[in-house]
Amino acid sequence: MILILGLIILIAAIVVGLAGVFGNTGTGHDLGAGGDFSILGYHVTGSTGSLFLSGIIVGAVALLGLTLVMMGARRSARRSARARRELGTSRREAAVVDRERDDLIKQRDDARAETGAPMADAPRTDRTDRTEAGAAVTAAPRGRGHWFGHRAAHR
């Protein structure tokens, strides 16, 4: 939000500045004796000091817009850096959990091998089941993948 507001202010200041420069060229716009200076239909009559003050105000507004743009960009960069750090931390934690899980599975398999107990959750080598009629049915995954890994509601 700050970034967008800063861009709007900066662009407005640039437009006013460019309109003042390009709209007042030629000898008819001298500020000397009775000269007239206009910006977007607003006529400024007076001294060169008042015109200089108007330029300072436009420059200050442009600086404010640029400052807001930089603040918004810095905040966005800080937020993304924090997200990258948190992602690295969560990946390290997930790797530790995966190693612990693999160690537990290995310990379980070793214990079963020592006792001679059959492994109930060993992967099946045949990928077909039989229906009641005796026809072979493949055990391939049914359906298609869903966004976010699940269905919206159970069937």
Side-chain angles (χ1 to χ4, degrees), residues 4 23 28 42 152:
I4 294 170
Y42 179 73

Side-chain angles (χ1 to χ4, degrees), residues 1-14 57-75:
M1 184 69 189
I2 291 175
L3 184 70
I4 294 170
L5 180 66
L7 281 173
I8 291 171
I9 291 173
L10 182 63
I11 290 171
I14 289 172
I57 291 172
V58 169
V61 168
L63 186 62
L64 173 70
L66 185 62
T67 302
L68 289 176
V69 167
M70 295 303 290
M71 283 176 41
R74 185 176 300 137
R75 179 182 292 176

Side-chain angles (χ1 to χ4, degrees), residues 104-123:
L104 288 173
I105 290 172
K106 186 175 184 292
Q107 289 174 2
R108 182 194 64 197
D109 292 344
D110 290 344
R112 284 184 180 169
E114 288 176 4
T115 61
M119 291 190 186
D121 59 347

Side-chain angles (χ1 to χ4, degrees), residues 114-128:
E114 288 176 4
T115 61
M119 291 190 186
D121 59 347
R124 294 179 49 179
T125 56
D126 66 330
R127 297 294 294 167
T128 58

